[in-house]
Amino acid sequence: SRGINMLKQIEGSHGVSEAVALCRPEVICAYPITPQTHIVEDLGALVKSGKLKNCEYINVESEFAALSVGIGSSAAGARTYTATASQGMLFMAEAVYNASGLGLPIVMTVGNRSIGAPINIWNDQSDSMSMRDAGWIQLFVEDNQQAVDIHIQAFKIAEALSLPVMVCMDGFILTHAIEGIDVPDQKQVDKFLPSFVPRQILDPENPISIGAMVGPEAFTEVRYLAHQKQKEALKLIPKINEDFKQIFGRDSGGLISTFNVDDADTVIVTLGSVIGTIQEALDEQDENIGALTIRSFRPFPLEAIRSALKNVKRVVVFEKCFAVGIGGIVANNVRMALSGANIEVYEVIGGLGGRPITRKSLHKLFKDAVKDNLEVVTFLDLKKDVVERELKREKELIQSGSVAENVLRDGGVVSAAKTT
């Protein structure tokens, strides 16, 4: 890669928009929603100025329309890009399933943000996780350099498999952070990413049906083939990362990355940008702890995780989302990877709705982990007194009021009418 003096000090969103432009998209359909807005604003300006040529930028009236237009443009044979976050992801949910079910190689950035209610615009990974089984490839990035690199890889992965790809980057923490990024030049990207040759295309001269009605006689086979494509991706994603490394000199992708795992008794497993804070905290303590970051969440790299963790005693899965009523989503997948192994798996939920994940809290977590002093599901920095007060209130009062309002008042965030 280029020397440090060649790094551009830019916002993560701007880096992503430059990377996407270098991939020569032909249609960008977008609806702004925080925290991905800067990406699509930048791309709109690049199209309007003529710097991004041969690209149609389509303003739409909703997130559902954004991906619906993307489905149409991709089916017509155009390299297609969009972006979303949070409630926008939910609004386009039907189209999310349609895009993958139709086998359309759309690339979409998800600026990870919590899902309401209650309303919260800050980061966690609830939005991507809500669509984890929609049939898209889901790639999570750890920093803004990787965000740039993985978007370039995403187009190649999507088009090789004829599957859509989400690139998931933590909202605000990455999208709005300014740091040094090595943005590739057009020649490098052109060498890595060939022109788009669609596997299926709507052509009036050779009419076909994309999105046919499929009944019981064929639905199982169609869905199995979608699963098979994801399994193919487990081999393709590392290969494309190697191709990228040969041209750009950086190891940015693949299925997982590891830190001090080989000799560790305890390993922290996570995905996304929190690995930076975790590594800093690990460098400050003496415990024998490693870390493993999942870069490809879908397809889920069962074999790679099983191989990397086969000799550890315990695993702590740290995640920024959970399934209400059962617990950690990532942890349940990790347990599948470790099925049959005598390895204790703990779940730690942290950073919900943008709550800071501090090194002080992580140090305590590490000490508790190595002593097996964790609950199966632990909520980092949970204000138990506030929770207990609300539970008591609900038992004592028939009309106990809004949980969100009560918690804000009890926590001293809102000065309003007194709660009991």
Side-chain angles (χ1 to χ4, degrees):
S1 71
R2 289 176 284 178
I4 194 167
N5 61 321
M6 297 295 288
L7 299 182
K8 297 176 69 172
Q9 294 292 329
I10 53 174
E11 185 186 84
S13 292
H14 299 325
V16 168
S17 62
E18 289 192 29
V20 170
L22 289 168
C23 294
R24 302 186 187 275
E26 295 164 292
V27 173
I28 297 170
C29 35
Y31 190 85
I33 180 171
T34 302
Q36 64 84 6
T37 302
H38 293 179
I39 300 172
V40 295
E41 280 182 344
D42 274 8
L43 286 165
L46 288 170
V47 173
K48 186 176 181 180
S49 68
K51 292 180 181 177
L52 177 52
K53 303 181 188 302
N54 303 315
C55 180
E56 185 173 1
Y57 190 96
I58 303 174
N59 290 307
V60 293
E61 73 279 7
S62 72
E63 290 88 356
F64 178 80
L67 190 52
S68 296
V69 169
I71 286 170
S73 64
S74 185
R79 180 172 284 167
T80 300
Y81 171 82
T82 188
T84 195
S86 187
Q87 317 295 118
M89 173 73 85
L90 298 188
F91 196 13
M92 65 167 61
E94 181 182 352
V96 171
Y97 275 81
N98 284 341
S100 59
L102 296 174
L104 299 172
I106 300 163
V107 172
M108 176 165 68
T109 307
V110 181
N112 286 126
R113 172 186 144 185
S114 67
I115 289 176
I119 296 169
N120 180 295
I121 67 164
W122 291 276
N123 167 251
D124 62 33
Q125 295 165 346
S126 304
D127 45 10
S128 295
M129 290 297 163
S130 75
M131 293 292 118
R132 64 188 178 275
D133 299 324
W136 286 56
I137 291 172
Q138 288 192 345
L139 306 175
F140 281 77
V141 301
E142 300 144 37
D143 56 39
N144 283 335
Q145 183 64 66
Q146 198 184 3
V148 165
D149 296 347
I150 292 303
H151 276 87
I152 297 168
Q153 293 189 36
F155 281 98
K156 191 165 186 175
I157 293 166
E159 291 165 11
L161 292 166
S162 202
L163 270 184
V165 177
M166 292 182 199
V167 181
C168 308
M169 61 187 299
D170 285 330
F172 297 106
I173 296 170
L174 296 183
T175 58
H176 287 56
I178 296 174
E179 58 182 301
I181 301 175
D182 183 354
V183 180
D185 60 42
Q186 189 66 66
K187 287 183 179 180
Q188 286 178 304
V189 176
D190 288 345
K191 182 178 179 182
F192 174 77
L193 180 65
S195 298
F196 177 34
V197 180
R199 186 173 297 184
Q200 54 183 344
I201 186 170
L202 288 171
D203 181 359
E205 300 300 320
N206 298 288
I208 61 169
S209 174
I210 296 181
M213 179 73 175
V214 177
E217 70 286 346
F219 195 78
T220 298
E221 287 71 27
V222 172
R223 297 304 293 163
Y224 176 82
L225 288 166
H227 177 62
Q228 191 65 29
K229 274 191 185 181
Q230 291 267 342
K231 291 171 70 175
E232 288 176 30
L234 288 170
K235 297 178 181 178
L236 185 67
I237 290 169
K239 181 182 182 304
I240 285 179
N241 183 48
E242 283 300 314
D243 294 343
F244 184 91
K245 188 177 178 181
Q246 291 298 315
I247 295 173
F248 300 90
R250 290 188 296 273
D251 180 6
S252 297
L255 302 175
I256 63 172
S257 64
T258 59
F259 170 78
N260 192 34
V261 165
D262 292 341
D263 300 319
D265 294 324
T266 303
V267 172
I268 312 294
V269 174
T270 191
L271 69 169
S273 65
V274 70
I275 188 60
T277 307
I278 287 173
Q279 285 185 337
E280 286 182 9
L282 288 174
D283 287 338
E284 296 168 349
Q285 53 84 56
D286 299 323
E287 307 291 350
N288 186 20
I289 302 176
L292 182 149
T293 305
I294 299 170
R295 290 180 169 176
S296 170
F297 185 66
R298 287 291 182 271
F300 193 76
L302 293 166
E303 293 293 338
I305 290 173
R306 184 182 296 120
S307 177
L309 300 180
K310 61 185 177 183
N311 295 322
V312 307
K313 294 180 179 178
R314 67 187 66 79
V315 170
V316 179
V317 183
F318 191 105
E319 46 192 310
K320 288 186 171 184
C321 182
F322 74 105
V324 176
I326 186 168
I329 297 168
V330 182
N332 283 334
N333 286 256
V334 171
R335 284 197 180 93
M336 288 179 63
L338 300 178
S339 178
N342 187 27
I343 300 172
E344 191 72 48
V345 178
Y346 298 104
E347 306 169 24
V348 178
I349 316 299
L352 298 183
R355 177 166 291 183
I357 299 165
T358 65
R359 294 202 297 273
K360 180 180 178 182
S361 295
L362 289 174
H363 286 312
K364 183 179 184 306
L365 172 65
F366 298 157
K367 291 182 183 300
D368 288 340
V370 297
K371 296 176 182 177
D372 289 310
N373 193 27
L374 290 175
E375 298 178 27
V376 174
V377 182
T378 298
F379 286 81
L380 190 73
D381 295 334
L382 180 70
K383 297 174 182 176
K384 293 184 179 179
D385 58 329
V386 173
V387 171
E388 289 167 1
R389 183 171 179 179
E390 176 61 16
L391 292 174
K392 182 174 182 290
R393 181 184 295 115
E394 291 179 2
K395 286 181 180 179
E396 294 176 350
L397 298 173
I398 294 175
Q399 293 184 323
S400 57
S402 161
V403 170
E405 192 87 3
N406 291 343
V407 168
L408 285 173
R409 290 169 177 169
D410 290 348
V413 179
V414 174
S415 296
K418 184 185 291 184
T419 52
T420 302

